[in-house]
Amino acid sequence: DAAGCDVDKRYTKAYLHHLFKAKELLAMQIGSIHNLAFYLRLVTDARHHIEQGDFVSWKKSVIDRLGQRLASLYQSPSLSQTIGLVYH
């Protein structure tokens, strides 16, 4: 994601995978920073689209995009095992 946070630019996915597998606390810290940056970006974008009057169409596009990303992530067995997800 081009608008990622600093931790997205600093750490590779392979390194994060290692941290999660090793159950290092740094993995949770980096994950928290990433999640907070994601939600801040999401709320900022939502506010902008509310002001522009196109929130409903923007929301639908965001939900579709996130649904596609989540579906592809849940199909990845290594990710599911790493973070303990169960997909039914």
Side-chain angles (χ1 to χ4, degrees):
D1 186 48
C5 63
D6 287 342
V7 295
D8 295 340
K9 298 169 189 164
R10 176 171 284 177
Y11 302 106
T12 65
K13 289 180 184 179
Y15 181 61
L16 294 175
H17 177 81
H18 159 73
L19 291 175
F20 275 102
K21 291 289 272 188
K23 298 183 181 183
E24 291 284 344
L25 290 178
L26 181 58
M28 279 48 104
Q29 290 175 323
I30 293 171
S32 294
I33 292 168
H34 169 81
N35 289 341
L36 288 170
F38 170 80
Y39 283 115
L40 179 60
R41 200 167 48 247
L42 183 68
V43 170
T44 300
D45 289 350
R47 182 179 301 122
H48 169 76
H49 288 280
I50 289 168
E51 292 169 351
Q52 296 299 313
D54 64 348
F55 176 76
V56 173
S57 62
W58 171 82
K59 181 182 85 166
K60 288 178 183 175
S61 72
V62 168
I63 289 171
D64 289 345
R65 245 188 351 241
L66 290 176
Q68 291 170 358
R69 287 178 68 188
L70 287 174
S72 68
L73 287 176
Y74 284 125
Q75 292 173 2
S76 169
S78 63
L79 177 70
S80 299
Q81 292 167 358
T82 299
I83 59 177
L85 294 175
V86 177
Y87 183 67
H88 298 277

